[in-house]
Amino acid sequence: MKAKQNNWRSELKKNTNALAVWTFLWVFTLAFVAFGPKFIWNENKIITIVMIIINALVGFGMILINRKHLNSQDPLQRKISMDAMAITLGITLIVGISYSMLDTTNLISFNAEISHLVFVMGITYLVAMLIGNARYK
């Protein structure tokens, strides 16, 4: 029994580390796409397209690793994560559409940027995970 639990912990740790690496790679390639055209390759469209494709492929890899990470969690961890993702999806959908409507109806003086929505997603997921972990502690 103890050996099985140690094996599970080892697998979870391995998947958590893999998720961290893939997340770092995705953010790193995203930074290249965001800043490369201006500071590295002088607005070359071919390089920009290649970097966007690479970023998207790394993003798909990150999704697959995230799924593997979720599947390696115990049922309670998985429930907390899935609840946090469901709350994040709902909040993002509602806030995103409302935010877009504020922009298209000119009720806000600035453009609705996707980065604002990503920020809302990150904060929502973080808070939902903290609340979920505190609830089942």
Side-chain angles (χ1 to χ4, degrees), residues 36-51:
K38 184 175 182 180
F39 297 112
I40 300 174
W41 53 81
N42 199 22
E43 306 290 337
N44 184 313
K45 289 183 181 182
I46 299 290
I47 296 174
T48 301
I49 290 169
V50 169
M51 288 307 296

Side-chain angles (χ1 to χ4, degrees), residues 108-120:
I108 55 176
S109 60
F110 50 92
N111 291 329
E113 298 288 338
I114 191 72
S115 59
H116 301 154
L117 198 56
V118 171
F119 179 77
V120 169

